[in-house]
Every structure is written in C-alpha cells, then in structure tokens.
Amino acid sequence: MSVSDQVLTGERADLRTTLRRHRGFLRQTVQGLTDEQAARRSTVSELCLGGLIKHVATTEDRWMRFAVGGAEAMRSEPIDWVGQFRMTEGETLAGLLAEFDRVAGETDALIATLDLDASHPLPSAPWFEPGASWSVRRVLLHLIAETAQHAGHADIIRESIDGAKTMG
C-alpha cells in the first residue's frame, strides 16, 4: 500500500477525503471530452476545462511546496499567470490529467505525514495580510476551497459545451 493510500483517521482522513471528493468532481466534469473540447473557451471568460485542470494541479503543487518548505519553496518554480488557465500547443487532456493525478498523489502522501500545525509566513502579496502565517491545515482547507470553486466553474463550462452536468 502506498503512503497516499494508507488508512487515515480523524482530521487527516476528513481533509484527504474532502479534497479527493472535489478533485473527483473536477475530473468527472472532463470525462469523455476531446482535447479540442477541453481547450474550448465556451464563455467570455479565458477559462477552459483543460486550463482549469492545469490550474488546480499547479496551485495544489505550489501550496504543498509551501506547506513543506514555506514561501521560498513555493516560489522555487516560476508560474505562468495567464497560461495556467489555458491549454497550450502540444498539451492534451490526458497529459493534464496525468499531472493532476501525480500532484494529487503527492499531496495525499503529505497529508498522511506532515504536522498539520506547522506554519510558515505567507509570501508577500497584495491579497495576503502582511506578516500572516498559514498552517499546513489552513493550506489544505484552502486547497479544498480552491478545488471546489473550480469544479463549479468547470461544471458551468462543460454544460455550455454539450449540456452535460457533473451533478444533476
């Protein structure tokens, strides 16, 4: 059994189960789509389904680097603030989902092992309170909210492409 599949109890189980559930909703939203459909912008927004998968994976990866090593670890790889919401030339939905799953597996393993009370100062950014710190627990709650919010966006986009709905 891998670390990410080990039986957890209590708070860790609740955090992992909730995050997995919302990842599942997002993943379900893209089932059966072609790469062209996944890359399609079906609203006036820049968002596309493949881009949302990429963004959620990138965001989860960055926040878990923060959970392990703080703001410096989070900034260790540059981020494409615009391209993270789009499928770029050569990207496929299958490839984006594979990366999504890789990141999810790493996060699930970390949920089982990290000290949930460990905390790091947030990076300097206009959307963070100056001098604030987040615990690993707070990071995981943020990832749950982020994933759930984007699963909702994805559901709207999918419905506008072919009428399919994640739930309902």
Side-chain angles (χ1 to χ4, degrees):
M1 173 181 353
S2 72
V3 173
S4 65
D5 290 329
Q6 76 184 52
V7 176
L8 297 180
T9 59
E11 180 180 20
R12 289 176 192 277
D14 291 345
L15 290 166
R16 186 177 70 182
T17 299
T18 304
L19 183 54
R20 282 180 171 180
R21 181 173 188 194
H22 291 292
R23 285 187 200 126
F25 289 145
L26 183 56
R27 187 174 240 296
Q28 182 181 346
T29 305
V30 299
Q31 283 181 347
L33 291 180
T34 65
D35 290 339
E36 178 186 80
Q37 288 171 311
R40 185 179 306 154
R41 291 176 39 221
S42 62
T43 69
V44 296
S45 154
E46 289 292 321
L47 299 177
C48 69
L49 292 170
L52 283 171
I53 296 288
K54 180 167 55 171
H55 168 71
V56 169
T58 300
T59 299
E60 185 170 320
D61 181 61
R62 287 174 61 82
W63 276 109
M64 292 314 294
R65 279 191 272 125
F66 172 86
V68 171
E72 284 305 312
M74 182 185 220
R75 290 190 296 254
S76 65
E77 292 183 28
I79 188 163
D80 178 357
W81 290 102
V82 176
Q84 71 174 321
F85 289 103
R86 299 181 182 140
M87 284 180 68
T88 58
E89 185 71 33
E91 288 181 326
T92 65
L93 181 57
L96 294 173
L97 286 169
E99 176 64 5
F100 181 79
D101 291 342
R102 182 196 67 76
V103 169
E106 288 182 5
T107 297
D108 288 354
L110 288 169
I111 290 171
T113 60
L114 288 178
D115 176 358
L116 298 178
D117 293 320
S119 144
H120 303 286
L122 290 169
S124 188
W127 46 87
F128 294 132
E129 177 184 340
S133 292
W134 277 10
S135 67
V136 171
R137 177 182 295 101
R138 177 65 184 92
V139 168
L140 293 170
L141 291 170
H142 175 71
L143 290 176
I144 290 166
E146 176 90 9
T147 305
Q149 178 180 19
H150 289 311
H153 294 147
D155 201 38
I156 291 167
I157 293 169
R158 176 64 188 261
E159 188 174 359
S160 69
I161 289 172
D162 64 4
K165 299 177 189 174
T166 304
M167 295 181 292

